[in-house]
């Protein structure tokens, strides 16, 4: 969708689709803003391997747009261990599935905050790397992720890990982007450059800095 929105022909193609479904836990903020201009109904779904298919959705654009997922018929969700999402979908053979996704619940639905394993506690403030990365997606060419390093005062400090060799001009540009897109506690304490950001076989970033070669 992001690539198609770059051209008039691509946008026209998307507008000929009645309903467009986007999967995944997060849609980059920049992409979600651009999707508002489409006449097409854009829906964001939530699901995982264990549920076989999506189990909740939210409208991304139009008058019914919302940031909250609503469970599909026959699916119930709620807080489980550690405030993580728990799913019951009997028709799919799913009973009391405990996920690792931290969620914020309300009477109108739920919002995914990030993976429990990735939460950073910096000076008593909980930071969700996926949400910070979501704000920066599409704003820079380099591959990157956020993680934590031990810190004597904060316990953990937020750092940004960037693929590529450090250059003064690149470093300056990165800080300019960060200052424009992030606020307060979202700002990393430092930027670390690595030779290559390693991923799992399924393409997910390995967030341990020790698994990447620091330059």
């Amino acid at each position: 969708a992001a690539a198609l929105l770059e051209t008039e022909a691509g946008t026209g193609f998307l507008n000929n689709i009645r309903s467009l479904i986007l999967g995944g836990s997060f849609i980059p903020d920049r992409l979600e803003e651009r999707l508002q201009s489409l006449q097409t109904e854009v829906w964001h779904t939530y699901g995982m391997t264990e549920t076989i298919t999506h189990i909740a959705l939210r409208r991304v654009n139009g008058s019914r747009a919302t940031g909250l997922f609503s469970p599909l018929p026959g699916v119930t969700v709620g807080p489980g261990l550690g405030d993580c999402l728990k799913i019951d979908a009997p028709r799919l053979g799913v009973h009391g599935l405990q996920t690792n996704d931290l969620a914020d619940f309300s009477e109108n639905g739920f919002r995914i905050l990030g993976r429990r394993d990735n939460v950073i506690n910096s000076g008593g403030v909980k930071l969700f790397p996926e949400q910070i990365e979501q704000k920066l997606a599409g704003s820079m060419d380099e591959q990157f992720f956020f993680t934590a390093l031990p810190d004597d005062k904060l316990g953990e400090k937020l750092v940004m890990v960037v693929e590529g060799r450090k250059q003064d001009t690149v470093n300056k540009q990165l800080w300019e982007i960060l200052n424009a897109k992030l606020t307060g506690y979202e700002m990393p304490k430092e930027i670390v450059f690595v030779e290559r950001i390693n991923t799992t076989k399924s393409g997910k970033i390995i967030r341990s800095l020790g698994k990447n070669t620091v330059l």
Side-chain angles (χ1 to χ4, degrees):
L4 290 172
L5 284 169
E6 295 291 337
T7 65
E8 184 176 343
T11 301
F13 172 79
L14 290 175
N15 275 325
N16 284 326
I17 299 173
R18 181 177 178 180
S19 296
L20 177 65
I21 294 178
L22 301 177
S25 298
F26 296 99
I27 296 177
D29 287 355
R30 185 178 180 184
L31 174 57
E32 185 145 348
E33 290 174 4
R34 299 189 67 182
L35 290 170
Q36 304 309 309
S37 63
L38 289 182
Q39 300 171 15
T40 299
E41 292 184 2
V42 182
W43 298 87
H44 182 198
T45 65
Y46 173 84
M48 57 186 60
T49 302
E50 293 85 349
T51 63
I52 304 174
T53 183
H54 48 251
I55 55 92
L57 54 72
R58 69 179 181 93
R59 180 70 183 270
V60 174
N61 63 346
S63 59
R64 296 164 57 194
T66 175
L68 298 174
F69 286 104
S70 296
L72 293 174
V75 177
T76 56
V77 300
L81 296 175
D83 292 328
C84 287
L85 187 70
K86 187 176 181 181
I87 303 170
D88 280 287
R91 296 178 182 176
L92 300 175
V94 175
H95 303 276
L97 175 62
Q98 178 64 62
T99 75
N100 202 32
D101 289 332
L102 283 164
D104 184 23
F105 300 90
S106 76
E107 59 182 13
N108 297 317
F110 66 93
R111 177 183 287 105
I112 298 297
L113 301 176
R115 300 285 289 177
R116 181 173 57 182
D117 294 344
N118 299 334
V119 175
I120 298 168
N121 192 328
S122 183
V125 177
K126 287 186 178 181
L127 301 171
F128 302 93
E130 297 96 332
Q131 292 187 350
I132 301 174
E133 293 160 6
Q134 184 181 1
K135 290 188 174 184
L136 296 172
S139 299
M140 48 192 290
D141 297 328
E142 296 82 4
Q143 188 173 6
F144 68 95
F145 67 93
F146 282 75
T147 189
L149 287 176
D151 185 83
D152 292 338
K153 293 183 178 180
L154 299 173
E156 291 181 314
K157 66 178 179 180
L158 182 69
V159 297
M160 181 183 190
V161 180
V162 179
E163 184 176 85
R165 192 165 297 278
K166 181 178 180 179
Q167 301 176 35
D168 290 341
T169 54
V170 173
N171 194 49
K172 181 180 178 181
Q173 291 171 355
L174 289 176
W175 282 112
E176 289 175 349
I177 293 173
L178 295 177
N179 283 314
K181 296 288 185 178
L182 305 180
T183 59
Y185 295 108
E186 298 171 337
M187 288 292 293
K189 298 301 181 184
E190 66 176 288
I191 298 176
V192 178
F193 289 83
V194 297
E195 182 177 340
R196 180 182 178 184
I197 291 178
N198 293 315
T199 60
T200 64
K201 291 182 179 180
S202 61
K204 294 182 179 180
I205 289 174
I206 299 175
R207 292 178 177 273
S208 171
L209 190 55
K211 299 293 184 179
N212 297 279
T213 304
V214 178
L215 298 174

